[in-house]
Amino acid sequence: MKKKQPMFESYEKNVDYLKDYLGVDESFDMIHLDLFYANRKMSLFMVDGFVKDEILHYLMRLLSRLNPEELETDPLEKLLKTHISYVELDKVDDLNKAGDTVLAGPTALVVEGVDEIILIDARTYPVRGPEEPDLERVVRGSRDGYVETIVFNTALTRRRIRDRSLRMEYIQIGRRSQTDVCLCYIKDIAEDDRISHLRRVLNEIDTDALPMAEKTVEEYISGQHWNPYPVIRYTERPDTAAAHLYEGHILIIIDGSPSVMITPATFWHHMQHAEEYRQKPLVGAYLRWVRFIGLFASLFLLPLYYLFSIEPDLLPVSLSFIGPEETGMIPLLLQFLIAEIGIDLLRMAAIHTPSSLATALGLVAAILIGQVAVDVGLFSIEVVLYLSIAAIGTFATPSYEIGLADRISRIALLLATGIFGLKGYIIGITIWILYLAHMQTFKTPYLWPFMPFSLRAFRDIFIRSPIPLKNRRPAFLHPKDPDR
């Protein structure tokens, strides 16, 4: 907690302290204006680029018209309630807090003879327009998405939830960065204990800054540092966030990030997508099942094919065609590992390649390199086929974090199969299931409703139920109002 610095009796000492605290003479974008209105010295402190010029010009014109007698008695109250015509005004008697507020964007007004500093929140941020997120595109639906400014994101959320019990709690995290964080929930639905727990955990974060915004916060509040599977779901879609709020989830919105954190989130939450609810229930259920097939194919198909390749006796006669006809010059297991690394290299190269060249890069890598590797005998053609199926299943997974975690699990299962054969494959899958079953997301079983089993919730997970029939909120959230 930063030490409080009370106001000095001298106006000059207050101004000098803020100039030194903010580094006015050392930073070109830190602005200090010396003013003289109504026979009183005044100072404005602001950050260039964070201020709406027209609003400050308007307020300065109002101050310039003041007569000295208008500020003779109760000058602070008269300035706040009469002469400064603006909506977002505040006052503070702590110089350090005033300086930190200026660094966040508002303007500080120091007035001679007034024992508090007036804060004018006339800030603006460089920000892009709300655009549809690349990772959560839909054929039909809204095209707006969260941006990097917290006020914009809270407004996009409140636009969809006109509920009087919607709460946006403001928290600052980071001794140096003073990053704005919002805890968002519907008070009449969300569980109080869960809200209190998250509030306490956020307030206990002790670090100097949040350089990676939501990912830094996740590592503090999840407590599972070496676990590849995410216990928090991310979304950049306001409609997805609103749907989770109505279920009883709690959102964490962080300034500087377009990704909103949804807590808690089970394994199955990461497998759902807004597109399923933008189509008819039967079509949505089909799309969900296709995603499930893609996920499990990306995890188990590649090690299973390798198992059949090294132990063909496991196959019935009718499936004896499965397995490579030509193994290639490199051992089959090594081919899979090299191809896995190659796909990740291609993905990283595509991210760092200008969009106009990314398609050409993909074609070169997928067609030329893959075909040449097969033609010269380094790779088997079946390796390329099954690895492509696994890669497609990974990219079809709605959650990017789950896709990365599944890739690590697939490599581990592939190695276990390569070392121990059939026993390694079975034991690897068993360990994977037990690992997920042992996990918890904020005191909630990660595989709920599969473990522990809940028939009603299990049905809603695997079948996209019609909205009129979903008249109950998820039981694991313990909502105050269980009925929709």
Side-chain angles (χ1 to χ4, degrees):
M1 183 66 68
K2 187 170 291 186
K3 184 180 179 182
K4 180 179 179 179
Q5 175 57 58
M7 297 276 292
F8 299 107
E9 294 183 2
S10 169
Y11 164 83
E12 285 76 13
K13 286 186 177 181
N14 292 327
V15 172
D16 291 340
Y17 185 90
L18 283 177
K19 289 176 66 176
D20 179 69
Y21 188 87
L22 296 171
V24 171
D25 297 328
E26 301 173 39
S27 300
F28 78 94
D29 62 338
M30 193 64 63
I31 298 176
H32 167 231
L33 295 179
D34 270 322
L35 307 172
F36 190 77
Y37 297 134
N39 287 338
R40 289 176 183 264
K41 297 178 182 178
M42 300 185 186
S43 288
L44 281 173
F45 291 90
M46 68 196 80
V47 178
D48 191 13
F50 283 176
V51 181
K52 296 178 182 176
D53 294 342
E54 58 274 12
I55 294 178
L56 279 183
H57 290 162
Y58 172 72
L59 295 177
M60 290 171 68
R61 282 198 301 270
L62 292 178
L63 293 174
S64 67
R65 297 169 185 168
L66 289 176
N67 297 317
E69 56 272 14
E70 292 179 300
L71 299 181
E72 286 182 357
T73 58
D74 297 327
L76 178 63
E77 293 297 314
K78 289 184 177 179
L79 285 171
L80 288 173
K81 298 180 179 180
T82 305
H83 302 299
I84 300 181
S85 303
Y86 194 64
V87 177
E88 298 182 71
L89 296 177
D90 200 0
K91 58 184 179 179
V92 65
D93 59 357
D94 182 358
L95 289 168
N96 288 340
K97 186 175 181 180
D100 292 337
T101 304
V102 170
L103 293 173
T107 301
L109 174 62
V110 185
V111 181
E112 183 182 16
V114 176
D115 57 0
E116 291 188 74
I117 297 174
I118 299 174
L119 300 176
I120 307 169
D121 195 351
R123 56 182 157 178
T124 183
Y125 291 124
V127 63
R128 62 182 174 90
E131 301 171 351
E132 185 177 16
D134 289 334
L135 293 178
E136 299 176 275
R137 291 185 179 276
V138 293
V139 177
R140 295 190 183 277
S142 61
R143 298 288 185 248
D144 57 344
Y146 287 124
V147 294
E148 288 76 15
T149 304
I150 189 171
V151 177
F152 281 41
N153 293 342
T154 54
L156 287 170
T157 304
R158 197 173 280 277
R159 178 187 178 190
R160 286 168 169 80
I161 302 181
R162 301 179 182 181
D163 193 309
R164 63 177 184 82
S165 67
L166 178 63
R167 297 292 182 265
M168 302 276 190
E169 292 190 17
Y170 175 76
I171 304 171
Q172 279 192 325
I173 300 177
R175 295 186 301 272
R176 291 183 179 274
S177 66
Q178 294 289 301
T179 304
D180 296 332
V181 177
C182 172
L183 194 65
C184 177
Y185 57 91
I186 299 179
K187 186 177 180 180
D188 292 346
I189 299 177
E191 183 187 16
D192 288 336
D193 291 343
R194 203 179 298 275
I195 297 170
S196 301
H197 171 73
L198 270 176
R199 185 189 297 122
R200 185 183 71 255
V201 171
L202 289 173
N203 284 317
E204 289 176 353
I205 294 178
D206 185 20
T207 183
D208 60 346
L210 302 179
M212 294 295 137
E214 79 286 350
K215 295 304 293 183
T216 305
V217 172
E218 179 190 356
E219 293 188 12
Y220 273 98
I221 67 178
S222 66
Q224 304 177 27
H225 305 307
W226 300 107
N227 174 21
Y229 281 90
V231 296
I232 290 172
R233 182 182 177 183
Y234 293 97
T235 184
E236 296 183 28
R237 295 188 62 89
D239 52 358
T240 300
H244 282 81
L245 283 172
Y246 280 123
E247 287 185 349
H249 292 264
I250 304 170
L251 307 184
I252 301 176
I253 307 173
I254 302 176
D255 190 38
S257 171
S259 298
V260 169
M261 305 167 69
I262 301 174
T263 64
T266 66
F267 177 80
W268 309 108
H269 279 97
H270 295 278
M271 298 305 300
Q272 298 177 8
H273 191 267
E275 180 68 23
E276 299 161 7
Y277 293 92
R278 295 289 184 178
Q279 305 296 337
K280 297 289 287 184
L282 185 59
V283 177
Y286 165 75
L287 294 177
R288 181 172 294 183
W289 273 99
V290 168
R291 285 196 176 90
F292 286 153
I293 293 171
L295 168 72
F296 293 117
S298 68
L299 268 173
F300 306 128
L301 183 62
L302 203 61
L304 183 62
Y305 167 76
Y306 178 71
L307 176 64
F308 289 152
S309 299
I310 60 176
E311 298 187 22
D313 295 339
L314 297 173
L315 285 170
V317 177
S318 59
L319 297 178
S320 59
F321 62 89
I322 296 178
E325 296 181 0
E326 298 179 2
T327 58
M329 299 170 58
I330 301 176
L332 196 59
L333 179 61
L334 191 57
Q335 289 183 39
F336 281 124
L337 296 178
I338 292 174
E340 287 277 10
I341 295 174
I343 288 179
D344 282 330
L345 283 174
L346 175 61
R347 178 181 59 83
M348 288 186 282
I351 292 174
H352 302 301
T353 303
S355 57
S356 58
L357 301 177
T359 303
L361 174 67
L363 291 174
V364 169
I367 298 177
L368 295 183
I369 298 178
Q371 186 62 44
V372 169
V374 172
D375 289 343
V376 300
L378 292 177
F379 277 14
S380 167
I381 188 65
E382 288 90 346
V383 170
V384 178
L385 170 64
Y386 286 98
L387 192 66
S388 299
I389 295 174
I392 291 173
T394 300
F395 291 123
T397 306
S399 170
Y400 182 67
E401 289 76 20
I402 280 285
L404 294 176
D406 286 344
R407 186 176 290 117
I408 294 176
S409 299
R410 181 171 68 239
I411 294 175
L413 186 58
L414 189 62
L415 290 173
T417 305
I419 296 173
F420 302 106
L422 178 61
K423 293 181 180 179
Y425 184 75
I426 295 175
I427 293 174
I429 294 177
T430 303
I431 292 176
W432 179 77
I433 294 175
L434 292 176
Y435 180 73
L436 294 185
H438 180 71
M439 282 177 55
Q440 288 195 337
T441 167
F442 297 94
K443 301 180 180 180
T444 299
Y446 195 56
L447 289 184
W448 185 92
F450 183 66
M451 289 180 155
F453 186 74
S454 172
L455 179 61
R456 184 187 183 95
F458 185 81
R459 180 201 65 191
D460 291 338
I461 288 293
F462 283 91
I463 301 175
R464 196 294 237 181
S465 302
I467 296 298
L469 300 183
K470 294 184 68 174
N471 53 9
R472 302 281 293 179
R473 306 185 200 279
F476 80 97
L477 294 172
H478 307 291
K480 296 178 184 177
D481 181 12
D483 298 322
R484 289 180 179 270

